[in-house]
Amino acid sequence: MPFDTLSFSFLYDDIDLSSFSCVEQDLTDFLIEDARKNQDARLSVTRIVSYEEQIVGFFTLTNDCIIRKGIGDDDGEDGYPYPHYPALKIARLATHEEFEGRGIGRAMLVRTMAIAMRLSQYVGCRMITVDSKPNSEGFYLKYGFQRALLKKKRNMTPLYRDFYRPYQEAEKSMSPTLSDFDRQR
């Protein structure tokens, strides 16, 4: 499904969530029963993804950190003096069961990366983390996430992605650099 056919919006009170259903019932339940409450309490923020007026997915983001010892040697910043890296956590991500396999999950990850890049311009944020369900781990690994060097949590696998590393690599080979554009606001 082309990215430009999807619309992304914040979860508002007037959005009817009753038609959403995904394979993982606990994700459907979270969206319908808890997402608004968590958002109102400033614990997380949920975005709804729609296609032709139908909810086809959602993702929920919150702040996080990852212990420096939990990431690979090729990630992070040389000489970083703190024990944790600031991160943006994908707390929930789900696609409507009738729309699986159409690129909606990928579109939500792309949007999450864009949000992380924007966030990192205002506050420290270097990693994106997710505690993946076993049947979703392959999805995240396919898009550059890695297993954290940490113990599993409650049948979940902690994963992370240093979203800034590819940005740094691109900077080395570009003229003008991406940073030049960042400064032009």
Side-chain angles (χ1 to χ4, degrees):
M1 187 169 294
F3 190 81
D4 62 353
T5 63
L6 300 173
S7 67
F8 294 81
S9 62
F10 288 103
L11 175 61
Y12 293 109
D13 289 336
D14 62 347
I15 296 176
D16 179 13
L17 304 173
S18 63
S19 66
F20 186 82
S21 177
C22 78
V23 175
E24 297 282 346
Q25 185 61 44
D26 64 320
L27 292 173
T28 301
D29 293 345
F30 170 81
L31 178 62
I32 294 169
E33 298 170 13
D34 298 322
R36 284 186 180 118
K37 288 184 254 180
N38 285 0
Q39 192 163 284
D40 290 345
R42 301 295 191 255
L43 298 172
S44 61
V45 173
T46 297
R47 286 174 175 77
I48 301 297
V49 183
S50 301
Y51 173 72
E52 297 182 350
E53 310 279 327
Q54 182 176 356
I55 297 173
V56 295
F58 78 93
F59 60 103
T60 302
L61 303 175
T62 192
N63 290 314
D64 197 15
C65 65
I66 185 168
I67 190 165
R68 201 169 84 208
K69 294 176 186 175
I71 66 170
D73 292 338
D74 292 338
D75 293 312
E77 194 68 26
D78 290 335
Y80 184 70
Y82 302 104
H84 294 85
Y85 277 99
L88 178 66
K89 183 181 209 71
I90 301 171
R92 306 282 192 295
L93 186 145
T95 300
H96 191 294
E97 60 192 351
E98 293 176 15
F99 290 86
E100 286 186 0
R102 296 189 192 179
I104 294 165
R106 179 184 173 281
M108 290 188 284
L109 282 182
V110 167
R111 182 56 63 107
T112 299
M113 294 287 184
I115 292 167
M117 285 300 291
R118 176 66 55 104
L119 179 64
S120 72
Q121 294 172 342
Y122 297 97
V123 297
C125 184
R126 177 66 181 249
M127 306 288 171
I128 297 175
T129 61
V130 63
D131 293 333
S132 175
K133 293 177 180 271
N135 60 350
S136 299
E137 189 174 340
F139 168 78
Y140 290 106
L141 294 174
K142 179 170 79 172
Y143 291 110
F145 282 78
Q146 300 177 59
R147 288 178 190 92
L149 309 174
L150 306 167
K151 295 179 184 175
K152 282 189 168 191
K153 303 176 183 179
R154 302 170 270 113
N155 297 323
M156 305 281 224
T157 302
L159 303 173
Y160 75 95
R161 180 168 177 186
D162 182 346
F163 68 85
Y164 191 67
R165 177 70 60 201
Y167 183 88
Q168 285 179 309
E169 296 301 319
E171 282 277 280
K172 292 176 186 174
S173 64
M174 297 180 78
S175 180
T177 68
L178 296 171
S179 294
D180 293 332
F181 292 103
D182 278 350
R183 286 188 280 274
Q184 297 176 0
R185 288 180 212 206

